[in-house]
Amino acid sequence: MDFLFEIHIFALICEVLIILALIHMVNQKRSPTSMIAWLLAMLLIPYIAVPVYFLIGSRKRRKNKRTKSHVVLPSLEDNHYRHTHSISTLLVNNGIRRTSENNSFKLISNGIEAYEKMMTEFQSATHSIYISTYVFKFDSTTEKLITLLEEKASAGIEVRLLIDCIGSWQLYYKQQHIFDQLKNAGAKVEFFMPLFQMPFRNYVNLRNHRKIYLIDQCTVFTGGMNLSDEYLGPENTTARWEDLLFMIQGQAVCHFYNLFVLDWRYAAKEKLPLMHVTQKHYGNARLQVVPSGPDVPNDALYESLLNAIYTAEERVWIVTPYFIPSEAMMKALLIAHRKNVDVQLITPKKSNHLIADLARSGYMRTLYEAGIKIAFFEGEMLHAKAIIFDNTACMLGSVNIDNRSLFLNYEVATYAYSPEIISEVHEWMLGLLQRSSYKMEERTRIRKFGENLMKITAPLL
C-alpha cells in the first residue's frame, strides 16, 4: 500500500512539474513547435525530459536591475546615419541602435591574412586588448597569441580574455594551466558560464558564441572565426576551414566594445566603463551592429531576417554551416521562391556535426524539391555565416541559421548597407559556388527514418 502511495505521489509531482514547465515555456515566448517537442518528450520520457528542461529550458535571462543583466547601451544618436531600409527601421523599433556611417570595413576570407592582421593590431596595442571567443584551442597558433598577450600584459596593456567553457571544454577542463604565465603578467582570463560553479543556474544551455577581438577601443575584428589552427594561422593548412572575419574601425566599434563590457561584467563580476561614440572619421561604411541572445529582451535579429526574406525582390543568398530553420523561416523562403526571388543556400556538403547534418536534411530536401538551389560546398568545412538581401543589405557575423543561434546563444551580427561591401560579399559567394555541387543524395530507408526523427527533435537542439 505504501509503495502504491509513493508511486501516486511521484506521478503527481511529475504532472505538476510538467504543468510548471508549460507555464515557463509560455513565459519564455517559445514557439509552438518547440513547446510541442518538449511536451512530447516529457510524455514519453518524463523522468529524463522534465529535469533536463528545468536545467536547460530557459531562453532569456531574467532582467536584474542591480547587475543590468540585459544589454543596455548608452545613447549613440549623435552623427548617426538615419537609414530608411526596412531592416534598420525594424531593428531600431526593437531597441537596436541606429545604423552608423562613420566606419571603415575590411572583409577577410583567408586564414593567413586574418592571423597576420590580427596579430599586427595586437602588437600595436597601446592601451587594451579585449578578446571574446567561443572556441579557443591550445595549438601552434594560439601558443603564439598567448606569448604576444603575455608581452603586452607585462608592458602594462590591459588584457582580458573571455572564453565560453562549453565551446572550449577541453581547455576549461584540462588545460587552464596554459594561462598561468599570462595571468601572472597581469592579464585576466574568465570562462563564460562555468558548469561546476553554477550547475543549477538554469542558464547552462545558453552559450556565448560571439567573436569579438578589440584593440584600444578603436579597432574590432569579428565574424565567424574562433581562435585555433582550424580558423587562422601563420601558414596554410589543408585542414583549414572556410570562414570570414572582418575588421572595423569607427563608430560601430563602440557597440562591440559595450557588448564585450556587459558580457565581461556578467561573467567576471567586474564593472568596466561603457564607451560613447567616437567622432573621428574612419570611412563611409554603413553598418548596424545587432546583438542577439538571452541578454536581449526581444528577438530583433530573427524578426529582421524574416522581414528581409519577405520583402526581398531579387535575391536571398544564404551561407551557413548549419541549417535548422524555424517553420516561419522555411515558409518565408518558400514564399520568396514562389515570388521569383532568387533563393540560394550555400552550405558544407558535410559539416563537423553529424547530428546537425541529419537535422538539416529534411528542411533542405523540402527546399530542394520546391526548386530552390542548394549548393553543397566541396572544400574543407564551410564555417562562414553571411546573407545577401537583394543588393541593398547583407548580414555577417557569428549567427548560424539554426534554432540554437537564433534563439539560445549569445550572438552578434552586423548588417552592412554599403554597396561596396555587398558587392565584395557577392564576389566571395560566387567563389564558393564555383567549388560546390547541387545534387542532393538519395535517401536510404535508414537515412529517411533518421532525418524524420531529427526533424521532430530539431526544436530541442
Side-chain angles (χ1 to χ4, degrees), residues 59-62 69-70 206-207 210 292-297 407-411:
R59 197 169 77 83
K60 295 289 184 181
R61 278 176 13 202
R62 290 185 295 273
S69 63
H70 280 72
L206 311 180
R207 308 317 313 173
R210 293 164 179 161
S292 173
D295 54 345
V296 180
F407 300 115
L408 296 176
N409 284 343
Y410 296 78
E411 305 279 5

Side-chain angles (χ1 to χ4, degrees), residues 123-141:
Q123 184 65 58
S124 65
T126 59
H127 173 66
S128 63
I129 298 173
Y130 295 166
I131 295 174
S132 176
T133 186
Y134 180 67
V135 175
F136 191 114
K137 291 184 180 180
F138 184 55
D139 52 33
S140 59
T141 294

Side-chain angles (χ1 to χ4, degrees), residues 31-128:
S31 68
T33 303
S34 176
M35 292 173 63
I36 291 171
W38 272 111
L39 287 174
L40 181 62
M42 290 176 187
L43 290 173
L44 295 176
I45 47 173
Y47 309 130
I48 297 175
V50 171
V52 167
Y53 177 81
F54 282 104
L55 184 63
I56 68 171
S58 288
R59 197 169 77 83
K60 295 289 184 181
R61 278 176 13 202
R62 290 185 295 273
K63 188 173 182 179
N64 188 315
K65 294 181 179 180
R66 182 173 59 85
T67 60
K68 294 183 178 180
S69 63
H70 280 72
V71 171
V72 181
L73 301 179
S75 177
L76 303 174
E77 300 301 325
D78 293 341
N79 296 328
H80 261 226
Y81 180 80
R82 295 183 179 274
H83 197 48
T84 56
H85 199 290
S86 63
I87 294 175
S88 179
T89 301
L90 186 150
L91 289 171
V92 170
N93 289 336
N94 252 314
I96 304 300
R97 297 303 175 191
R98 296 182 184 277
T99 302
S100 62
E101 64 174 353
N102 181 15
N103 304 287
S104 67
F105 178 95
K106 180 171 181 56
L107 187 70
I108 307 170
S109 59
N110 179 278
I112 296 177
E113 183 183 2
Y115 173 83
E116 291 176 347
K117 288 189 177 298
M118 189 183 295
M119 293 293 279
T120 298
E121 291 296 327
F122 286 158
Q123 184 65 58
S124 65
T126 59
H127 173 66
S128 63

Side-chain angles (χ1 to χ4, degrees), residues 274-342:
L274 292 171
M275 173 184 172
H276 290 270
V277 67
T278 177
Q279 301 299 325
K280 187 176 178 180
H281 180 75
Y282 285 94
N284 298 315
R286 300 196 296 274
L287 306 173
Q288 190 170 22
V289 182
V290 188
S292 173
D295 54 345
V296 180
N298 300 319
D299 295 318
L301 178 63
Y302 175 66
E303 291 181 12
S304 72
L305 291 173
L306 288 180
N307 169 72
I309 295 170
Y310 273 119
T311 58
E313 297 179 352
E314 298 176 13
R315 64 169 169 167
V316 177
W317 285 18
I318 301 172
V319 176
T320 182
Y322 317 113
F323 184 72
I324 310 176
S326 66
E327 288 194 17
M329 185 168 288
M330 280 289 290
K331 181 64 70 175
L333 292 171
L334 290 168
I335 290 175
H337 171 67
R338 289 163 186 152
K339 289 164 52 182
N340 291 327
V341 174
D342 179 15

